[in-house]
């Protein structure tokens, strides 16, 4: 079962609020190690990513900080129990969404 998008956004918001300052530096470093998206990550000041997949299911959830300081969350899931998810295609869609969402 894939979590609801609103739940994933709440988790990212919790991480944002609870990793501010020096005590959260390690957690933010882990979250930003792999931005999950391509070169458009440079349109954002900071990108945190958590994703997951199994046969027929893929999720990508991003916590994005705009260069002006505002925070955004972007989440997407692809479910197809009949066949494997096209991971490259899905990642490209999420990357494009992040690019279009950049303020």
């Amino acid at each position: 079962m894939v979590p609801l998008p609103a739940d994933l956004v709440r988790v990212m918001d919790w991480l944002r609020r609870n990793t501010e300052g020096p005590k959260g530096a390690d957690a933010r470093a882990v979250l930003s190690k792999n931005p999950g998206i391509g070169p458009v990550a440079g349109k954002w000041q900071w990108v945190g990513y958590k994703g997951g997949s199994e046969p027929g299911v893929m999720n990508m959830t991003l916590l994005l900080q705009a260069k002006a300081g505002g925070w955004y969350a972007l989440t997407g899931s692809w479910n197809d129990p009949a066949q494997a998810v096209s991971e490259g295609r899905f990642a490209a869609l999420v990357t494009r969404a992040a690019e279009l969402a950049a303020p």
Side-chain angles (χ1 to χ4, degrees), residues 41-66:
K43 291 188 170 217
W44 296 94
Q45 179 173 303
W46 187 87
V47 177
Y49 166 73
K50 177 63 182 111
S53 65
E54 61 183 58
V57 178
M58 186 170 178
N59 172 271
M60 295 179 73
T61 300
L62 302 166
L63 177 60
L64 305 160
Q65 185 179 28

Side-chain angles (χ1 to χ4, degrees), residues 2-98:
V2 175
L4 295 174
D7 293 335
L8 296 167
V9 168
R10 277 192 291 277
V11 167
M12 286 300 192
D13 187 49
W14 186 94
L15 286 167
R16 177 191 62 83
R17 288 181 287 106
N18 290 279
T19 62
E20 292 178 325
K23 288 185 177 180
D26 289 342
R28 285 213 179 178
V30 168
L31 203 56
S32 66
K33 186 80 169 172
N34 170 8
I37 56 176
V40 303
K43 291 188 170 217
W44 296 94
Q45 179 173 303
W46 187 87
V47 177
Y49 166 73
K50 177 63 182 111
S53 65
E54 61 183 58
V57 178
M58 186 170 178
N59 172 271
M60 295 179 73
T61 300
L62 302 166
L63 177 60
L64 305 160
Q65 185 179 28
K67 293 188 176 190
W71 288 93
Y72 301 81
L74 171 67
T75 186
S77 295
W78 184 341
N79 302 299
D80 189 343
Q83 61 186 353
V85 171
S86 174
E87 293 178 6
R89 184 173 173 209
F90 182 66
L93 288 169
V94 172
T95 297
R96 181 68 173 139

